[in-house]
Amino acid sequence: MARRTDTIAAAPETLARAEVQALTPYQSARRIVAAAGGRGDVWLNANESSEAAPYALTQNLLNRYPDAQPGEVIARYARYAGVEPEQILVTRGGDEGIDLLVRTFCVPGRDAVLQFPPTYGMYSVCAETSNVRVVNLTTDPADDWAPDANALDEALERDPGIQVVFACSPNNPTGGLIAPELLERLIEATRGRAILVVDEAYIEFAPEASAKSRLASAPHLVLIRTLSKAFALAGIRCGFLIGSPAVIGMLKKVIAPYPVPTPVADIAEQALSLGGVAAMERRVAGTCKRRAELAQKLSALPGVLEVRPSSSNFLLVRFAEGARVFKALWDQGIIVRDQSRQPTLANAIRITVGTAEENAELIAALRGILGEA
């Protein structure tokens, strides 16, 4: 019989925790394309801004560790978001914020997070990586995939191990918002029971729908924000958690000592200047205009069954033959995001709003693909 040391020597990966060995990692847009060898001439699969933000580095202090939390970035984001600086934690993108919330509030092997699929895949990945259970309350497309507050209340009553509830608004990949009255019901259902996390990665496309006005009366509410989408800075990986000072204080105990590199803070400061925010708002207006135009053109195509209303920078489109359309676009170098593995999203494709030229190329390709059908 082989000794355990021999097995480990031949396959050291077997030392990884069992839940990590069994984990299916988050399939990011870039990972999917790289794994499949796609060439990607038109990238409409990651909900990035179609326009680049014109910033350059102004500091050269790379021999020194950065501030644990960059003060000027926090001050400028507080001014932009309309909150106090002590309510903000700067993170390496919104994804680090998700991971921090799970690691701070959930005991591995005992506790759980709850989510409302179809939704963003990193909630479950971060939980499973930490050996935290995932409770799914699948939502109904007939109700625009809105979270069910009654089902949430029942789940929390049934399972006291649920420590964190993730709700995404605008939701990725459906593009819908949580209505104000529903948000209130979610807040009350979780009060005294769990942390309620509202992921607002796309909130700049619907700023009136932000949950930030509820923060003062709901100390268990946390918002996830990012510079990756509307601010056109996906490449610098800068995000924010907004919550009560007490919750932010707990998260500060867990976050890495120097999470925000100096170049990231430098560019984030520029993006959050008054001029940078104004430029973001102009980009958002342009994106929303192109989104409406793209939705209209998609709706007119044969083989398109539905184009869902969206409050984000992407559209969820249901095709009669989603798999065939996805593959045909891929073969032409137009990379979109297949959502058919998510519950209730058979034949659905998520399409990021591109530039006018990219959108025109997409429509021309779809006319040829669907015309062939």
Side-chain angles (χ1 to χ4, degrees):
M1 180 181 295
R3 292 180 302 170
R4 181 173 182 268
T5 53
D6 294 336
T7 301
I8 292 171
E13 68 275 10
T14 60
L15 285 171
R17 290 164 26 227
E19 58 270 19
V20 174
Q21 293 186 49
L23 180 70
T24 299
Y26 177 68
Q27 297 300 302
S28 68
R30 292 297 182 270
R31 174 178 280 181
I32 291 171
V33 176
R39 71 177 190 268
D41 300 319
V42 178
W43 295 86
L44 302 176
N45 66 332
N47 299 342
E48 301 151 315
S49 171
S50 62
E51 304 168 79
Y55 301 118
L57 296 179
T58 62
Q59 302 180 46
N60 185 23
L61 294 173
L62 303 186
N63 60 313
R64 302 296 184 188
Y65 286 113
D67 291 337
Q69 285 287 290
E72 187 60 26
V73 173
I74 289 175
R76 293 187 180 195
Y77 198 81
R79 178 183 65 192
Y80 161 69
V83 299
E84 296 301 318
E86 58 266 26
Q87 293 179 271
I88 294 174
L89 185 72
V90 189
T91 61
R92 288 169 289 196
D95 292 337
E96 183 182 37
I98 296 167
D99 186 59
L100 284 171
L101 286 158
V102 172
R103 291 194 291 122
T104 300
F105 291 101
C106 296
V107 176
R110 187 194 75 183
D111 291 337
V113 304
L114 184 147
Q115 62 177 359
F116 301 96
T119 195
Y120 184 43
M122 279 301 292
Y123 310 143
S124 60
V125 168
C126 288
E128 291 166 2
T129 301
S130 292
N131 193 23
V132 169
R133 292 182 293 115
V134 179
V135 176
N136 292 305
L137 294 182
T138 302
T139 52
D140 187 350
D143 197 27
D144 199 25
W145 293 284
D148 187 330
N150 290 332
L152 172 61
D153 187 68
E154 293 170 2
L156 290 168
E157 184 68 27
R158 186 171 57 249
D159 187 349
I162 297 170
Q163 293 287 101
V164 180
V165 174
F166 288 102
C168 193
S169 180
N171 188 38
N172 175 16
T174 63
L177 293 166
I178 296 175
E181 60 274 14
L182 176 55
L183 176 62
E184 288 297 338
R185 293 181 64 196
L186 298 179
I187 288 173
E188 292 310 314
T190 50
R191 190 182 298 275
R193 290 163 146 181
I195 299 293
L196 174 62
V197 183
V198 179
D199 189 340
E200 294 189 341
Y202 301 92
I203 200 62
E204 281 78 16
F205 297 94
E208 72 287 349
S210 175
K212 69 179 180 181
S213 64
R214 274 68 168 192
L215 287 167
S217 61
H220 63 300
L221 175 63
V222 177
L223 310 182
I224 298 175
R225 297 285 191 88
T226 184
L227 300 186
S228 293
K229 308 302 182 182
F231 280 90
L233 291 173
I236 72 168
R237 309 307 299 126
C238 185
F240 304 88
L241 292 177
I242 306 176
S244 69
V247 168
I248 295 300
M250 289 295 105
L251 295 164
K252 283 181 177 178
K253 294 182 177 183
V254 179
I255 196 169
Y258 307 108
V260 187
T262 298
V264 171
D266 186 346
I267 293 175
E269 280 186 32
Q270 298 175 57
L272 293 167
S273 67
L274 295 178
V277 171
M280 176 274 290
E281 291 171 342
R282 288 192 295 272
R283 281 193 301 273
V284 166
T287 299
C288 291
K289 180 176 183 293
R290 294 194 304 277
R291 182 186 68 203
E293 294 167 349
L294 180 60
Q296 184 178 33
K297 291 177 181 178
L298 286 166
S299 297
L301 294 174
V304 171
L305 304 182
E306 182 181 29
V307 179
R308 297 295 299 204
S310 175
S311 297
S312 57
N313 68 339
F314 58 83
L315 292 166
L316 185 71
V317 185
R318 198 183 299 273
F319 293 85
E321 299 179 274
R324 188 181 75 86
V325 171
F326 176 81
K327 178 63 165 56
L329 287 172
W330 179 289
D331 290 343
Q332 295 184 44
I334 300 174
I335 311 301
V336 292
R337 191 67 180 259
D338 179 14
Q339 295 293 333
S340 61
R341 293 185 180 181
Q342 290 242 43
T344 76
L345 296 188
N347 289 305
I349 293 175
R350 193 192 69 194
I351 302 174
T352 306
V353 177
T355 63
E357 294 75 18
E358 289 170 336
N359 294 342
E361 187 171 344
L362 169 72
I363 293 297
L366 285 172
R367 282 176 179 151
I369 294 164
L370 297 172
E372 293 171 3

